[in-house]
Amino acid sequence: MPKIKCIGVLTSGGDAPGMNAAIRAVTRTALYNNIKVIGIKRGYQGMINANYKQLRSHNVSHIIQTGGTILKTARCQKFRTVEGRKTAYNQLKKHGIDAVVVIGGDGSFKGARKFSEEYNIPFVGIPGTIDNDLFGSDYTIGFDTALNTIVEAVDKIRDTASAHNRLFFIEVMGRDVGFLALRSGIACGAEGILIPEVKTHTKNLKAFLEEGNKRKKSSNIFIVAEGDDAGGAFEIAEKVKDDFKDYDVRVTVLGHIQRGGSPTAFDRVMASRLGYAAVEAIMDDQKSIMVGIVNNKIAHTPFNQTIKYQKDINRSLLKMSFVLAM
Ligand code: ATP
């Protein structure tokens, strides 16, 4: 393959804290290697619309600590169509972009894989999503920051829950996976963790609470992943309300607060490593892969596998959380 002279970089799908640190790392690594960098705004939509801006070193100054994404992000229906991807290809060619780094989740990688099947422009992915649901990386950019945001919020709720002997159902993000719920539940000493991967039997919740009462618990917190099979926090609270007449039940949905904020040091370091690795992979003629970190080492995983395989939660942690919450 001819030498890469110009790389495009974009953020796609849901935003995640640490995306800016990844953009910075991609930009600075490429410039160091005398490769021009084009920032593509608003994900695949911007690729189609040629919403491009050259990135120089100063354009990515002081963004390592900021949440959101300077390139904006979007979901784009047009990129799902043959014509949409053709327009995107023509625009990339017209602007001399030889390769693209996509920072996003599995949907973004599906799009990248599709494009790579049709056109000969290498795409390399960086896992950027608070959900941590990508096979091929132990953690995804944004997960640690979202986790810490949840922990801070739940700690505050615990104070008021204890003061009033209340039972709280706290909903966290996780439409299909319970990584955030599981980790935050452990970190906050939650009495219960309800996640999509494990069937929730609402009838069992009361017996569990009664056990806790015998041990003089002054408050109870259940962390609920939004995609739990029994429903979100409001739905579950509604289901158990007749059973829980003696409890003062409250519901909190943490919502979009989980997506924002300054990335943690962990996310900044990971984003820096992955941005650097993505450009190295492109220079090494790699394509249709996601760079990730497995056992603290950079790992390359083909898009096909990232998309096909489900990353499972560590079920032994769920059992442990149950024991520790007694
Ligand atoms: P998150 O995990 O935060 O939701 P994501 O990358 O999975 O992020 P999606 O909305 O699923 O977010 O996908 C982002 C974009 O990728 C879509 O808006 C679409 O443009 C493109 N895309 C997703 N799936 C496909 C597909 N099968 N073919 C072509 N493009 C796709």
Side-chain angles (χ1 to χ4, degrees):
M1 189 201 287
K3 190 177 163 344
I4 300 287
K5 293 200 186 77
C6 176
I7 288 180
V9 57
L10 63 87
T11 48
S12 169
D15 60 309
M19 281 181 158
N20 280 331
I23 295 167
R24 170 182 177 270
V26 168
T27 304
R28 296 253 165 102
T29 308
L31 294 176
Y32 176 82
N33 289 290
N34 297 316
I35 297 171
K36 186 174 155 184
V37 184
I38 299 289
I40 301 170
K41 290 207 162 174
R42 300 189 187 281
Y44 292 128
Q45 191 62 55
M47 188 183 274
I48 291 170
N49 296 344
N51 197 348
Y52 302 157
K53 172 190 162 56
Q54 184 169 354
L55 294 179
R56 296 196 168 81
S57 191
H58 71 269
N59 294 124
V60 294
S61 291
H62 312 307
I63 63 167
I64 194 168
Q65 72 272 39
T66 60
T69 155
I70 59 161
L71 293 177
K72 312 281 182 190
T73 184
R75 305 195 196 267
C76 171
Q77 280 309 319
K78 233 175 169 183
F79 199 75
R80 294 176 186 270
T81 67
V82 174
E83 306 81 65
R85 291 191 295 276
K86 186 164 184 233
T87 312
Y89 172 76
N90 289 337
Q91 295 288 16
L92 292 175
K93 276 304 220 195
K94 188 170 155 197
H95 290 82
I97 297 172
D98 306 313
V100 176
V101 176
V102 177
I103 307 165
D106 69 331
S108 302
F109 299 158
K110 276 182 198 156
R113 180 185 61 171
K114 196 98 195 123
F115 185 92
S116 306
E117 285 165 7
E118 296 162 345
Y119 301 105
N120 191 22
I121 292 184
F123 275 50
V124 167
I126 295 179
T129 162
I130 64 167
D131 290 333
N132 198 29
D133 58 347
L134 285 168
F135 178 86
S137 194
D138 291 342
Y139 297 102
T140 57
I141 295 169
F143 173 68
D144 187 64
T145 306
L147 181 59
N148 279 283
T149 301
I150 295 169
V151 168
E152 209 184 317
V154 176
D155 285 349
K156 287 178 178 160
I157 293 170
R158 176 70 84 179
D159 290 344
T160 171
S162 299
H164 293 273
N165 280 43
R166 279 180 176 148
L167 161 62
F168 268 86
F169 288 97
I170 302 175
E171 184 178 305
V172 301
M173 284 191 173
R175 261 195 319 255
D176 306 307
V177 291
F179 290 98
L180 279 174
L182 177 57
R183 290 267 164 175
S184 61
I186 292 169
C188 298
E191 278 64 31
I193 301 172
L194 311 181
I195 55 176
E197 292 89 340
V198 178
K199 181 134 190 58
T200 298
H201 300 281
T202 45
K203 288 282 160 217
N204 295 347
L205 296 185
K206 190 170 181 211
F208 182 74
L209 286 177
E210 301 297 306
E211 275 302 307
N213 280 350
K214 281 187 210 152
R215 292 181 178 79
K216 298 195 180 352
K217 277 191 175 279
S218 62
S219 63
N220 285 286
I221 286 182
F222 282 82
I223 304 287
V224 182
E226 62 181 322
D228 186 69
D229 56 288
F234 274 108
E235 232 177 306
I236 292 177
E238 188 60 31
K239 276 185 189 160
V240 299
K241 77 170 189 244
D242 292 338
D243 260 1
F244 285 20
K245 288 213 170 74
D246 303 335
Y247 290 84
D248 189 5
V249 178
R250 299 294 156 110
V251 174
T252 299
V253 177
L254 293 184
H256 282 81
I257 190 176
Q258 296 163 86
R259 283 199 186 277
S262 176
T264 57
F266 183 90
D267 273 332
R268 296 181 200 190
V269 173
M270 195 170 56
S272 300
R273 290 181 71 187
L274 292 177
Y276 181 85
V279 175
E280 288 214 314
I282 285 175
M283 291 192 304
D284 193 29
D285 289 345
Q286 305 271 351
K287 56 180 172 180
S288 294
I289 56 147
M290 180 192 84
V291 290
I293 294 182
V294 177
N295 295 329
N296 206 24
K297 290 201 172 66
I298 295 293
H300 293 176
T301 306
F303 282 147
N304 278 343
Q305 289 184 21
T306 331
I307 292 161
K308 186 165 145 199
Y309 297 119
Q310 279 270 311
K311 185 159 95 180
D312 201 9
I313 54 144
N314 183 343
R315 282 160 202 265
S316 64
L317 290 184
L318 196 61
K319 185 177 170 211
M320 180 196 82
S321 77
F322 183 76
V323 171
L324 300 186
M326 290 302 278

